[in-house]
Amino acid sequence: MPLLPRRWSTTFIFVSCVIFALWYLSGLTDVYAPQSLSNAPQPGAASKDDGVFRWAKTPERYPVGSMIPLPSGQPEKIPRLQYAFVVESDEEKSKREGRLAAVKESFERTWKSYKSYAWMRDELAPLSGESISSFGGWAATLVDALDTLWIMGMKEDFEFAVKAAAETDFTTTDADVLNVFETTIRYLGGLLGAYDLSDGKYPVLLDKAKELGEILYTAFDTPNRMPITRWHWKEAASKTYQEAGENSLIAEVGSLTLEFTRLSQLTGDPVYFDAIQRITDEFDKAQSKTWLPGLWPVLMNAKSLTFKDTFFTLGGMADSLYEYFPKQYMLLGGLSQQYKKLYEDSIIAAKKYLFFRPMTPDNKDILLSGNARWKERDAEAQLDPQGQHLGCFIGGMVAIGAKIFDRPDESIIARKLVDGCIWAYDSMVTGIMPETFHMVRCEDPADCIWDEQKWHSAIAMRQQTGHETDSMSTEERVQQTIKERRLPAGYADIGDRRYILRPEAIESVFILYRLTGDDTLREAAWRMFNTIEKHTRTDLANAAIKDVTVDRPEKMNRMESFWLAETLKYFYLIFSEPDVVSLDDYVL
């Protein structure tokens, strides 16, 4: 099936917007515990008669009677996204190319280490040099980073990796439970993105995507056709009865849209689009009926199709559900107004309930996106002024939505959201934003002057007193907390001090730069890149760090695939020429 045009040729590069926030829901204390570690490369695929359990297609229990087809017709004229850049001077070009080379060097050294120490495994452990199996053992880093290899012009490595990916056996894995969302974004998205970027010159990438898609499609074989997000694949292959979960994260249920749609577009097989469109229709039905109309709570009962939870956020556990609405609209060439409606209704609610201006010592006019919990039907939702690194994608999303849906006032909101994440980076001693933190919400966003007493009061409200502080005054306890917890001015608390090489902040900085041409955004990106390199670089690659509030943070033995697949890709693209992966040509 040919690529569906929007007003240009519609091509899809999947960018993983990973929800690595399951700790938030499950209470796990070590989200970095790998499934397995090994010093040796993963052995080749086992033979068919070696006794290894393998996937085999079985008849569906609940087949679809009538498929929902891809939208057809004349594509809508979608406004251009990219700024009209002018030709750069020789001095500007030299400066930009120097920064571009620095980013590429970081990628190349990490890729070289991955090939040497963890080839065909999911991840390289950046301190020990071991290999980690974390997402099915199908070489997540290799597949996820294919598009970055192509973008950086590393054709020889790209072709070597494509050959290796072609040998991946998706019919078997040591994992008893597959995370359908993670498998989709890292593997299916990686294969489809590389296939599209290389203009279909490597058909094996689509072949492997079809192979994996067929397996994942079985997770939808439930009475109501909702997917099982934590999927016992061996039981499904053995024809065991399965049904959707009663406590499912909305991001994991609702964020399969782009990859499955693109697979239907490329193969001409409507089953994948049908699968995700049924999910979208259920979210559409419920959007105006939740405790906060326009938004969905982070937990849903996918079995009964109810949304009774009272916790709402655009951050972890919900993020990519919202992010994909404008992207799906573009991928479908504007032929489905449903995705526009879903986005617009959700952004209206987010502005009302979630976006807030934090009080800062420099009186910076910025925004963050917090959380809200509804306690009583007739009461106002209570805002929790928490910032999340994972939520930094929101600025880029709002900027795109403002353009394609003609909502110009929201361009200002998008800039303030992006500036909020840049401020959070610049405010830390390391120059790196923490995973989660709390601020003081401005009562009046238009008039918010720094008030140290309000800051101290917010800290005091979050304090837990103990015997050792019983004799202290409230102010003494606050001062002790500021010192012991290393709280920069404005921060009421820092709940998770890690940086795990996340891409969301640089993603939005890149998007807004491409939309506005504002060079201060590239300068911010360069500061971010240098501080991340300084504090995360190891002898082999780059590592997550435990605490961004100390001068020399301890490194962790983990480097997720999104470091190569997303974070370094966005740093590279912001210093590339504007026509390299133009936002007017690709859905990123």
Side-chain angles (χ1 to χ4, degrees), residues 232-286:
H232 292 267
W233 69 280
K234 291 181 181 179
E235 295 178 10
S238 301
K239 302 182 181 181
T240 302
Y241 175 80
Q242 58 180 16
E243 59 186 9
E246 296 181 0
N247 290 288
S248 300
L249 298 176
I250 57 170
E252 293 189 349
V253 175
S255 301
L256 311 174
T257 317
L258 296 177
E259 298 87 351
F260 275 65
T261 296
R262 190 66 186 138
L263 189 57
S264 278
Q265 289 177 335
L266 290 171
T267 64
D269 189 341
V271 298
Y272 306 108
F273 178 75
D274 173 271
I276 60 90
Q277 187 57 42
R278 292 175 186 275
I279 298 172
T280 300
D281 288 345
E282 295 301 331
F283 277 95
D284 194 359
K285 292 175 189 175

Side-chain angles (χ1 to χ4, degrees), residues 21-31 317:
L22 297 177
W23 53 271
Y24 195 85
L25 174 70
S26 63
L28 293 176
T29 57
D30 185 8
V31 302
M317 304 176 286

Side-chain angles (χ1 to χ4, degrees), residues 404-415:
I404 66 173
F405 299 134
D406 191 23
R407 303 173 66 88
D409 290 349
E410 288 168 8
S411 293
I412 299 171
I413 292 173
R415 180 58 193 250

